């Protein structure tokens, strides 16, 4: 059985809780961890939040 894992788009680490966001252009949905979320959302007009994903 395959286990689907999500890795943070920014730091490439695996987390049990990820946040679905868009943060750059062209816009696409990516998953980031909490720390990187705070980094990418700061002063970012391209940022939008799409929900929380938990294992
Ligand atoms: Zn991260």
């Amino acid at each position: 059985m395959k286990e689907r894992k999500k890795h943070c788009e920014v730091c490439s680490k695996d987390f049990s809780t990820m946040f679905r966001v868009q943060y750059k252009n062209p816009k696409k949905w990516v998953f980031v961890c909490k720390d990187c979320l705070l980094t990418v959302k700061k002063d970012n007009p391209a940022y939008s939040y799409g929900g929380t994903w938990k294992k």
Side-chain angles (χ1 to χ4, degrees):
M1 218 165 102
K2 267 188 183 174
E3 188 187 348
R4 286 189 68 169
K5 284 189 176 177
K6 292 202 165 34
H7 296 267
C8 174
E9 172 82 2
V10 180
C11 65
S12 300
K13 288 176 189 166
D14 186 29
F15 292 89
S16 57
T17 303
M18 305 292 290
F19 300 89
R20 189 168 176 258
V21 300
Q22 296 176 329
Y23 70 95
K24 59 187 174 185
N25 288 307
K27 285 192 173 182
K28 63 165 187 170
W29 289 109
V30 297
F31 287 92
V32 297
C33 68
K34 192 177 182 182
D35 286 349
C36 295
L37 172 76
L38 296 174
T39 305
V40 301
K41 79 186 283 188
K42 198 182 180 207
D43 300 323
N44 188 351
Y47 170 81
S48 47
Y49 174 73
T52 305
W53 186 89
K54 286 177 184 169
K55 276 186 182 173

